Amino acid sequence: MHVFNVDAFLGYLGNWFLIGGVGVTIALTGAGVVGGLILGMGIALMKMAEARPLQWIAGFYIWLFRGTPLLVQLVVIYTGLPQLGIKLGAVESALLGLVLHEAAYMAEIIRSGFLSVPAGQREAAWALSLNGGTVFWRVILPQAFRLMIPPLGNSINGLLKATSLASVISVEELMRRSEMLMQEQFLTLEVYAAAAVYYLALTTLWDLVQRPLEKHFGRFVQKKSR
Amino acid sequence: MSRYVDTFNIPADERAVRMEAVYKSFGDFTALREIDLTVRKGETVVICGPSGSGKSTLIRCVNHIEKHDQGLIFVNGVELKRGNVDRVRRDTGMVFQSFNLFPHMSILENCMLAPMSALKMPRKEAEAVAMAQLEKVHVEDQAQKFPSQLSGGQQQRVAIARALSMNPKIMLFDEPTSALDPEMVKEVLETMKRLALEGMTMLCVTHEMGFAREVSDRVIFMNDGQIVEVEQPEEFFRNPRSERAKLFLSQIIH
């Protein structure tokens, strides 16, 4: 019995089948981020709207999708919905589940970002007779976005790892492909260690993207020059 | 305590602001009750009174930052109601206690945004207008910096320049020196004084009684959401009529 087959581990690190899985993981994450941001923005705006029914709908949505595990959501979409005549492929199910789940978190992050911009900013913009669009895009959003970056980054880091749950509904992303390779030679530790290294590389890369973003959008926050 | 009754005897074409029986409440709290007031064009009016008396709410109603519940407000003859809000805001500039500069824009961009966006001024022209206003308040050498890099007094002068870049006819000041370190109050008051001498119509909520005495044409004393007294400054300080104003003055003048 071997302890750890270094050659096999290194082999998995250079395995194109696994690297392809990394690509799928990145694609799932990217789609989850984009879809989650768009849907999350809608949910956040609804929750901040004056109309009570909109607030209720948004509140219910967030309660539902933050209150249930992503794994359960994925399984319900992929294996449960066909019972109601709604049949989605594995990838479509994964995308839908990831977006619905991520949107609930992003909605709250976006909302807190907007709420953190002082009311005086809006009032000053109104007093200057800026129109609603300019107030939102030029005055409020840039300030709110700066505050959203750290929690959004956190959430995206979580999403990156959460895509591994899509393996359960047979989406061939990094985790699923690792399992498939494992079943070929049963080098369990070697292949999953390689998968872990890939995940670590992805989250590290994301850190490297997030940091300059924070710096760029926070460039106006600085100590007084002396 | 008797309420001040405006005689509205200023001719219509000389009125910058006119408020008729204006009411405003926040939930159960009545912030303004039956406000009658006419402000003449070119006049500098100081509004004072204890905290919670409705001073800020009053001037915030003039440019519709707060919506009045009842009564009529006219700004340069334009009735403040839906559809007219933008016209009124173009004629009024506002300076806030907390400056409210846009922190993510440079000083120059702060002053250029509204002329370019609301007045559709070309960039070059907006920059010239903004620089001219920044020069008038002596912060032109800070134009490329962000607000967080300036002192409080400088920031408030920028806020004045930003409002003036829209070429308003009326300026509203909401406790412009209350958030400043003592040594920076003077530079802001000097700027306001110069503006008053140039003939700007100004409504100033302030506790700076020296400014009121020296610069204002009339002092308005408010209490409990009502205007209690409207007087020439010398008269107000020498001989306040209401007991409430006497008490107020005895507490703020040491």
Side-chain angles (χ1 to χ4, degrees):
Chain A
M1 188 192 141
H2 72 278
V3 177
F4 187 79
N5 186 334
V6 175
D7 286 345
F9 168 71
L10 292 176
Y12 285 132
L13 279 183
N15 184 306
W16 285 107
F17 184 63
L18 265 195
I19 293 171
V22 170
V24 177
T25 291
I26 292 173
L28 284 176
T29 308
V33 170
V34 173
L37 272 177
I38 294 169
L39 183 58
M41 177 71 105
I43 304 286
L45 291 176
M46 279 169 73
K47 201 160 181 202
M48 291 184 289
E50 286 190 17
R52 283 285 168 79
L54 291 180
Q55 295 177 17
W56 291 332
I57 293 170
F60 176 78
Y61 179 94
I62 293 167
W63 171 76
L64 182 66
F65 284 96
R66 279 203 319 186
T68 50
L70 175 59
L71 181 56
V72 173
Q73 293 166 13
L74 290 174
V75 172
V76 165
I77 293 169
Y78 184 59
T79 63
L81 288 186
Q83 226 170 298
L84 304 176
I86 305 168
K87 287 188 185 130
L88 296 174
V91 174
E92 289 89 340
S93 298
L95 286 175
L96 182 63
L98 288 169
V99 166
L100 291 176
H101 185 80
E102 190 64 9
Y105 283 91
M106 288 193 166
E108 287 295 76
I109 292 170
I110 291 167
R111 194 171 69 95
S112 74
F114 282 119
L115 292 180
S116 305
V117 177
Q121 290 291 308
R122 239 171 238 110
E123 292 172 359
W126 289 337
L128 285 164
S129 75
L130 298 176
N131 65 40
T134 309
V135 175
F136 181 78
W137 290 106
R138 301 291 307 277
V139 177
I140 305 302
L141 189 62
Q143 298 184 57
F145 189 61
R146 177 182 79 83
L147 300 167
M148 292 175 203
I149 294 173
L152 278 181
N154 227 346
S155 187
I156 290 168
N157 173 294
L159 177 65
L160 191 69
K161 294 173 293 183
T163 55
S164 59
L165 291 171
S167 63
V168 174
I169 58 169
S170 78
V171 175
E172 289 190 21
E173 41 63 74
L174 178 54
M175 184 61 193
R176 175 77 185 151
R177 289 192 180 194
S178 307
E179 285 168 6
M180 291 159 82
L181 287 181
M182 191 272 288
Q183 277 155 9
E184 280 176 11
Q185 292 185 295
F186 297 99
L187 293 168
T188 314
L189 185 56
E190 288 78 356
V191 67
Y192 287 136
V197 168
Y198 277 124
Y199 279 113
L200 203 51
L202 289 175
T203 51
T204 306
L205 265 176
W206 170 244
D207 277 348
L208 294 179
V209 172
Q210 188 186 337
R211 228 171 296 158
L213 273 179
E214 275 179 36
K215 208 170 172 187
H216 176 76
F217 284 96
R219 67 195 179 284
F220 56 87
V221 187
Q222 43 197 307
K223 296 265 177 275
K224 278 177 194 167
S225 53
R226 287 169 212 277
Chain B
M1 187 165 51
S2 64
R3 185 175 67 86
Y4 160 79
V5 180
D6 195 304
T7 53
F8 296 118
N9 61 1
I10 296 172
D13 62 338
E14 290 178 27
R15 292 172 193 153
V17 176
R18 171 157 171 169
M19 304 176 98
E20 292 179 25
V22 170
Y23 281 82
K24 169 74 189 174
S25 26
F26 300 101
D28 293 338
F29 177 72
T30 307
L32 296 179
R33 54 185 100 214
E34 217 179 346
I35 298 289
D36 283 344
L37 179 69
T38 321
V39 176
R40 191 189 288 271
K41 287 178 181 168
E43 198 177 20
T44 296
V45 170
V46 161
I47 304 169
C48 63
S51 70
S53 60
K55 319 174 290 276
S56 287
T57 307
L58 189 153
I59 68 162
R60 285 160 63 89
C61 280
V62 173
N63 64 349
H64 214 59
I65 298 291
E66 299 295 354
K67 240 186 260 177
H68 57 290
D69 299 331
Q70 269 184 61
L72 297 172
I73 300 177
F74 297 88
V75 180
N76 283 322
V78 177
E79 189 188 341
L80 191 49
K81 59 178 183 190
R82 262 182 93 146
N84 281 347
V85 174
D86 198 50
R87 256 178 89 189
V88 167
R89 285 183 179 162
R90 266 179 212 196
D91 276 354
T92 52
M94 189 170 219
V95 174
F96 300 84
Q97 178 176 357
S98 50
F99 325 140
N100 296 351
L101 294 177
F102 304 136
H104 57 300
M105 296 181 193
S106 73
I107 297 306
L108 186 60
E109 287 167 337
N110 261 277
C111 298
M112 288 168 64
L113 177 65
M116 285 174 65
S117 165
L119 303 181
K120 306 283 169 235
M121 211 183 264
R123 172 169 282 275
K124 272 248 155 50
E125 196 185 334
E127 189 173 332
V129 166
M131 278 312 292
Q133 292 301 342
L134 290 172
E135 275 166 33
K136 280 178 82 172
V137 299
H138 311 299
V139 284
E140 68 276 13
D141 49 338
Q142 314 287 329
Q144 301 306 329
K145 292 189 181 168
F146 285 113
S148 61
Q149 295 171 291
L150 270 60
S151 73
Q154 287 172 324
Q155 288 191 54
Q156 194 59 299
R157 283 183 283 144
V158 171
I160 295 172
R162 177 175 72 173
L164 292 176
S165 295
M166 287 292 282
N167 196 21
K169 298 192 175 77
I170 300 168
M171 283 289 284
L172 308 169
F173 291 87
D174 190 2
E175 302 204 25
T177 57
S178 301
L180 294 175
D181 291 336
E183 72 266 31
M184 290 168 185
V185 170
K186 198 176 160 206
E187 63 191 57
V188 171
L189 290 179
E190 286 296 325
T191 306
M192 291 169 62
K193 181 178 166 185
R194 207 200 59 231
L195 201 56
L197 294 178
E198 285 174 4
M200 177 63 77
T201 307
M202 299 180 21
L203 274 74
C204 314
V205 173
T206 181
H207 300 298
E208 296 295 335
M209 290 302 123
F211 175 82
R213 202 187 286 265
E214 191 186 351
V215 181
S216 76
D217 297 298
R218 286 191 292 167
V219 175
I220 292 173
F221 177 74
M222 291 185 72
N223 189 40
D224 256 344
Q226 288 188 326
I227 295 181
V228 179
E229 287 190 41
V230 178
E231 280 295 352
Q232 312 275 319
E234 320 83 79
E235 183 62 21
F236 176 73
F237 289 111
R238 200 176 29 144
N239 188 21
R241 269 181 284 172
S242 65
E243 285 305 314
R244 192 64 191 83
K246 279 177 197 162
L247 178 67
F248 176 75
L249 284 175
S250 73
Q251 280 166 339
I252 63 164
I253 297 173
H254 316 284

